[in-house]
Amino acid sequence: MPKRIVFYFIGFVILASLAYYSFNRWKGSREKVDLWTLVPESAVLVLETNNHAALLDHLRETGLWESFSVLPFAQRFEENLASLDSVAPGNQRLSRFLDEKEILTSIHVVGKADVAYVYYVPVASVGEHRFLRTLTEDMSKSTLFEEETRRYQGVLLTDITNTRLGTHFTYFTHHNNIILSPSGVLVEEIVRRLNREEPISIAGELRGTTHLGKPEVYANVFVNYRMLPDFLNLFLKEEVMPEVRYLSSLSQNALLELKLERDKIFLSGFSSPEMLKNSLHQVMQPEKPQPLGVKAYLPSRTALLLHFGLDEIERLGMPRQENKSVYAATVDSLAQSLSEEAAIAYLESASINATPEKVAFAHVADPAATAALLSSLSAQLATARKQPPVTEQHGSYTIQLLNVPELPKHLLGKVFEGFEQCYVVQVDDYLLMAARVVTLRSLLDDIAEENVWGKSVVQKAFLEETLHEANLSIYLNTVNAWYILNRYVEDAERENLLQNASLIKRYSQLSLQFSKVGPQYYTSLLVRSPDRSNSGAGQDVFGVEQTLPFNARLDTRPFPIHNAADRSREVVVQDSAGVLYNITANAQRGWVDSVGASVRGDILEVEMGPDKKLRYLFATAGRIHAINEQGQELVNFPFNMGDSLSIQHLAVFDYENDGNHRLLIDDIMGNLYMYDTRGAALQGWQPRRMDYRLATAPQHLRVGGRDVIVVVLENGYIYALNRQGDAYPGFPISLKSPVTGGIGVNLGADLRRTTLTAVTRYGSVVTFNLQGKVLSREQLHRPSKRAMFDLVPESSNGRSSVIVRQEQGKVTLFDQDLNELFEKRYVTSAPKIVQYFHFGGANRIYAITETGPQKTYLYDSEGNLIGNRVLESSQPVTIYYNEASNNYTLYKVFRNELKQIDFRLPD
């Protein structure tokens, strides 16, 4: 009897223990886990989604899926999903299993060289458990998958390998959740996190905010700004990372809602400020956000803009570096005169190898007081360095050289570094600073011509959708920034960048903004494809055509000029009788001038006289002409050079920008003659004899206060001359081959840092500086001895160029990085006239004219024939671009007709 009692007692204890164990297992499995507590702190981004079918449907409706589905990571995901579906039980599919679950996806940097994902998927019902169990059993039986299990810190991990795709992932289950990742290292990190006591959510106090219940919100997106630089460093070169790290220190983390619209991705929410010492937030200590007032001065060719809006903008320069110079107090006073806004704009580059131009902008509270401080600083620098102040007049603005190294950094902090020297100009209540004077000249021209954000229809539409006031705004135009992105992306990632070029350029407008609201920053990220409503989609590429007939044959191209009164864009043509005709913007005849001889070279526009009105200068074989807006010769003109002299080119420049213009001509013998506007011959130029005929018009450069006249001879010799016609040390240099094309110029701070590029007829690309030192020689592929090369500068401003190779009717174009753009074949073998027009961003047009059949072909930036139409044209064409209407206007001549044709580029 006692033995039986003992036996029953032992059995009861065992059953009770099993029941208790089973109950605890059941209770533990039913215990709801906050998946956010499982996410490692190394996560850069975390996405929380709960309606994946609706998200995918919306992506398809808006056209976003068409763009994203071609990306490699999306294709790999679909392939893996299809592989799993192939062994799934019955008709069940993973997409159905995953739909309407609150799934987390975290993104991490692994091993400082790769990106990995972790998926956190809840398993909510018995049916879902059964589906997963059957799926794993079928995977273990399938030859498509290999399965291994192992224990790590008491947790069973399963490693799955897809033998067909060569991919693998690791997973484990935890309290009715499955955690899986292609990275076993990350899975092990999560296991270690689980074994800690009470792991906390990576989102911290932001976790209490969820956006998933709102209409049209498809995901919560958590951003870990502390890890963001490591993520971006996978793609960007180290030289740009100091700025990235500093800008990332404004905030610690953020939780944003994701909305999708047609051609638009929008994230918004709140970011927690970064409280660590010396963070950008601690430096700025912002209160009231500020509007983007500087948009009235930002050129349309801006690629990247960093804009700061603060009541005390001088805080950006804190803590100030110790400066014991005699001008230190003036620099400090100048910093204190700045208010509310500061920005740095990186401008569009023409080449991967070109360092991007940048301009610093700062708003001033009292323009008169700031002007006085600038004058005082200029005088102090001149006294300290025993050099006269360097100033330059550009229109109504005075550009000053304030040779304080890193002056913008002294004024506005480390984001504004990279200015070895500083040219400054004050425009209204803004201070503009650049390292090169040519940058400011071009910027002032853009402002005068209203090629700025504040006047751009496309840009204004974009800015309307962004925050109107912010403390920090980052704007990126991926089309304008294309060469900059290529320059600073890691070499290993450039292939991916190029493969996704169409997607990146399509969504070309990006803004990231932070605006202080209470203790946090309201944050907005907008990625947008520009509105194409004015692009002419679905319409004919070519639109209105207007024809003007003339009595005689037209013998010149339509020369581009501006109206002297309203600066509207016009043209001038000349007929076979030597008569010049002005054609206005509305295709009406304007002034007429019977010159009686053919124009040599181009018609130049110059502001002359006390009224600074626009005048038109040009040369014929034996004369120099200067006419007013009525087609009448100015006083002292024309200059008669004599019958024995045959002019090739005319160049006009103003050394001091004081209206004292010099007129420089060259003849067919290679002699140079220079005159002032009164007709007086200048010493050293009567003539300045060259050894050979000039390949192109002389070019005047202003470099570090010096005047340089660059002369390129057809025999391959290049001279750099001073005002007196004397060669600078190191010149002439020989390219060792003939030259017939133009020359590319990259102006620097001095002669050593100013580089020029020439291309010989045989395809040698030579880069040298103005000290006469050859920096590089590269040989383009020359298929045969018949292949000849030229460098063709951009037609409207010459800031960029292309290289052209012609061979037996075949024309090949190369960009400035010597990459082939496209190649075309033509019937005739005669040399073609190649023109290159670049109006910013992707607005590139190449015009190739066959002189025999008198046909002109227009190509877009991809080398596609625009409108599948060939134009009848006997001369080079002129093309204007209207940014507001996204419309081009072309002028061409054929026989005795001038045509004005409007057209658009297709999407």
Side-chain angles (χ1 to χ4, degrees), residues 587-604:
Q588 301 297 314
R589 298 193 188 195
W591 51 262
V592 177
D593 184 15
S594 298
V595 178
S598 298
V599 172
R600 299 285 183 92
D602 292 323
I603 295 180
L604 308 176

Side-chain angles (χ1 to χ4, degrees), residues 106 114 159 194 231 306 322 345 383-384 401 407 414 423 458 516 528 592 602 621 649 683 702 705 758 779 797 825 880:
S106 61
D114 201 4
D159 298 319
L194 282 172
F231 177 72
L306 308 178
E322 185 178 0
T383 302
L401 172 60
L407 177 60
K414 63 175 72 175
Y423 287 90
V458 173
K516 195 74 167 16
R528 178 179 182 270
V592 177
D602 292 323
H649 309 98
Q683 185 177 356
R702 181 80 169 174
Q779 178 63 48
N797 54 46
R825 292 178 179 271
Y880 293 130

Side-chain angles (χ1 to χ4, degrees), residues 761 790 806 809 811 828-834 848-852:
R761 291 290 284 161
D790 284 305
Q806 300 196 41
V811 178
T828 66
S829 296
K832 315 296 184 290
I833 301 171
V834 180
I848 300 180
T849 301
E850 282 197 280
T851 54

Side-chain angles (χ1 to χ4, degrees), residues 502-767:
S502 59
L503 176 63
I504 294 169
K505 290 181 179 181
R506 178 183 174 188
Y507 292 90
S508 61
Q509 294 177 324
L510 182 149
S511 69
L512 174 60
Q513 296 176 281
F514 300 84
S515 182
K516 195 74 167 16
V517 178
Q520 295 180 315
Y521 290 101
Y522 179 74
T523 306
S524 169
L525 172 64
L526 175 64
V527 182
R528 178 179 182 270
S529 178
D531 183 10
R532 301 290 182 181
S533 59
N534 279 336
S535 67
Q539 304 174 17
D540 291 336
V541 170
F542 289 94
V544 177
E545 297 188 14
Q546 299 188 63
T547 303
L548 277 77
F550 293 82
N551 294 327
R553 185 187 67 250
L554 298 177
D555 280 352
T556 68
R557 65 170 293 192
F559 294 109
I561 67 166
H562 290 83
N563 183 280
D566 59 14
R567 299 300 173 110
S568 59
R569 292 176 289 199
E570 303 179 342
V571 296
V572 172
V573 292
Q574 187 179 40
D575 66 13
S576 57
V579 180
L580 287 177
Y581 296 92
N582 166 231
I583 309 302
T584 64
N586 56 1
Q588 301 297 314
R589 298 193 188 195
W591 51 262
V592 177
D593 184 15
S594 298
V595 178
S598 298
V599 172
R600 299 285 183 92
D602 292 323
I603 295 180
L604 308 176
E605 298 179 302
V606 180
E607 291 181 345
M608 294 177 63
D611 55 359
K612 296 287 185 181
K613 275 197 171 183
L614 208 57
R615 311 299 186 194
Y616 312 111
L617 282 75
F618 56 91
T620 57
R623 290 181 172 181
I624 301 175
H625 298 264
I627 58 177
N628 62 18
E629 69 278 10
Q630 302 298 323
Q632 301 166 340
E633 295 279 1
L634 302 184
V635 176
N636 299 322
F637 287 90
F639 295 172
N640 301 298
M641 300 293 102
D643 295 336
S644 61
L645 189 145
S646 181
I647 298 174
Q648 270 206 119
H649 309 98
L650 168 66
V652 180
F653 37 83
D654 182 355
Y655 290 137
E656 306 292 348
N657 285 294
D658 57 0
N660 185 14
H661 294 89
R662 273 73 166 180
L663 283 62
L664 180 62
I665 58 172
D666 64 283
D667 65 12
I668 60 172
M669 304 301 294
N671 298 313
L672 295 169
Y673 301 84
M674 187 182 291
Y675 302 88
D676 64 19
T677 53
R678 296 184 301 273
L682 300 183
Q683 185 177 356
W685 300 91
Q686 294 304 316
R688 173 57 163 97
R689 299 186 186 279
M690 297 286 108
D691 300 326
Y692 214 80
R693 187 166 54 195
L694 273 65
T696 186
Q699 190 168 354
H700 171 251
L701 308 175
R702 181 80 169 174
V703 182
R706 301 186 186 203
D707 292 287
V708 182
I709 299 167
V710 180
V711 177
V712 182
L713 306 184
E714 288 185 355
N715 64 358
Y717 277 81
I718 298 178
Y719 288 78
L721 309 177
N722 61 18
R723 289 191 186 189
Q724 291 72 41
D726 299 323
Y728 278 94
F731 287 90
I733 65 171
S734 174
L735 304 183
K736 298 180 171 53
S737 298
V739 177
T740 56
I743 193 166
V745 178
N746 182 25
L747 280 174
D750 51 32
L751 299 180
R752 179 179 64 84
R753 286 175 283 191
T754 295
T755 59
L756 295 87
T757 301
V759 179
T760 70
R761 291 290 284 161
Y762 305 147
S764 179
V765 183
V766 183
T767 300

Side-chain angles (χ1 to χ4, degrees), residues 9-41:
F9 177 75
I10 292 172
F12 173 77
V13 169
I14 292 172
L15 288 173
S17 299
L18 288 172
Y20 180 76
Y21 174 74
S22 299
F23 174 78
N24 277 312
R25 286 287 303 272
W26 175 84
K27 182 180 178 183
S29 68
R30 300 291 294 174
E31 185 177 320
K32 189 169 180 63
V33 175
D34 182 0
L35 293 178
W36 285 86
T37 63
L38 306 184
V39 180
E41 294 177 357

Side-chain angles (χ1 to χ4, degrees), residues 788-806:
M788 296 295 171
F789 296 79
D790 284 305
L791 185 144
V792 178
E794 198 278 327
S795 292
S796 60
N797 54 46
R799 281 196 287 258
S800 58
S801 59
V802 293
I803 298 171
V804 178
R805 181 181 69 204
Q806 300 196 41

Side-chain angles (χ1 to χ4, degrees), residues 350 483 759 763 765 779-783 787-792 800-806 810-823 834 836 846:
Y483 282 125
V759 179
V765 183
Q779 178 63 48
L780 287 166
H781 175 58
R782 192 182 183 204
M788 296 295 171
F789 296 79
D790 284 305
L791 185 144
V792 178
S800 58
S801 59
V802 293
I803 298 171
V804 178
R805 181 181 69 204
Q806 300 196 41
K810 186 166 58 177
V811 178
T812 309
L813 271 66
F814 302 86
D815 65 17
Q816 291 183 201
D817 296 310
L818 311 187
N819 300 310
E820 182 177 320
L821 295 170
F822 60 84
E823 183 175 275
V834 180
Y836 166 47
Y846 306 92

